[in-house]
């Protein structure tokens, strides 16, 4: 019924514990995971799955990877493609004249008063939105819970 030495406890194979009840519960788990059930003293049984080779796991789950592929491509395009444009911040572009300026563009931006006004407005709006939405969601959840 079982492989030799697959189901054991710290005391050994026959330690006076009735394995029949446990075997019924773990027969399905062992079959599904192709693993061994190991019991430590005064603890719950643990299923140790045998290692399946990576190639086999990839092949067995190929449908999941295929379904994940459009999401992965979407995330790459929407979130990571724009990061390639960061290099433009370190160059000065004139008509047919591209020169490396380093951090000069950032120094110019941080020295302008309009930037700090826009930065402060953005920060205030973000914090206000965070507080309002958090408070509103807590209020709605309390009302729903009281119904």
């Amino acid at each position: 019924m079982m492989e030799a030495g697959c189901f054991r406890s710290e005391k050994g194979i026959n330690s006076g514990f009735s394995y029949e009840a446990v075997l019924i519960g773990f027969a399905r788990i062992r079959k599904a995971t192709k693993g061994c059930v190991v019991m430590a003293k005064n603890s719950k049984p643990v299923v140790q799955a045998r290692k399946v080779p990576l190639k086999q796991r990839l092949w067995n789950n190929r449908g999941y990877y295929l379904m994940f592929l459009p999401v992965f491509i979407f995330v790459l395009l929407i979130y990571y493609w724009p990061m390639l444009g960061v290099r433009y911040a370190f160059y000065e572009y004139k008509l047919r004249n591209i020169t490396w300026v380093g951090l000069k563009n950032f120094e110019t931006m941080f020295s302008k008063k309009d930037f700090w006004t826009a930065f402060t407005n953005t920060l205030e709006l973000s914090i206000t939105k965070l507080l309002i939405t958090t408070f509103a969601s807590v209020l709605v959840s309390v009302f729903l819970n009281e119904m």
Side-chain angles (χ1 to χ4, degrees):
M1 180 174 157
M2 262 181 42
E3 299 167 23
C6 192
F7 189 81
R8 61 187 179 273
S9 69
E10 279 186 357
K11 291 183 179 179
I13 297 294
N14 274 333
S15 60
F17 182 78
S18 174
Y19 292 118
E20 287 76 28
V22 177
L23 283 176
I24 292 169
F26 288 104
R28 290 189 185 124
I29 295 173
R30 270 194 64 249
K31 188 175 182 182
T33 60
K34 297 178 184 163
C36 296
V37 178
V38 178
M39 291 187 64
K41 191 186 291 184
N42 298 328
S43 67
K44 295 181 180 179
V46 178
V47 177
Q48 293 178 340
R50 292 196 183 116
K51 186 75 172 166
V52 180
L54 177 64
K55 229 178 191 178
Q56 184 66 36
R57 284 183 288 162
L58 289 174
W59 180 254
N60 289 342
N61 298 316
R62 66 188 177 277
Y64 298 121
Y65 292 121
L66 191 62
M67 287 188 288
F68 178 69
L69 192 61
V71 174
F72 183 68
I73 292 171
F74 177 79
V75 167
L76 284 179
L77 288 177
I78 299 300
Y79 292 107
Y80 292 106
W81 184 267
M83 283 192 224
L84 297 176
V86 168
R87 63 189 165 122
Y88 296 117
F90 301 103
Y91 289 93
E92 185 173 339
Y93 289 89
K94 304 255 177 159
L95 195 70
R96 297 188 183 172
N97 186 16
I98 301 171
T99 56
W100 171 264
V101 292
L103 297 174
K104 180 182 163 208
N105 291 335
F106 291 99
E107 289 173 5
T108 305
M109 179 180 70
F110 290 134
S111 65
K112 296 190 181 225
K113 185 178 183 244
D114 291 338
F115 167 77
W116 290 108
T117 303
F119 181 77
T120 306
N121 290 342
T122 304
L123 202 59
E124 287 174 1
L125 286 171
S126 298
I127 292 172
T128 305
K129 180 184 173 190
L130 176 73
L131 293 175
I132 289 173
T133 55
T134 303
F135 177 73
S137 61
V138 168
L139 194 65
V140 168
S141 66
V142 167
F143 284 150
L144 288 175
N145 195 27
E146 293 296 323
M147 291 179 114

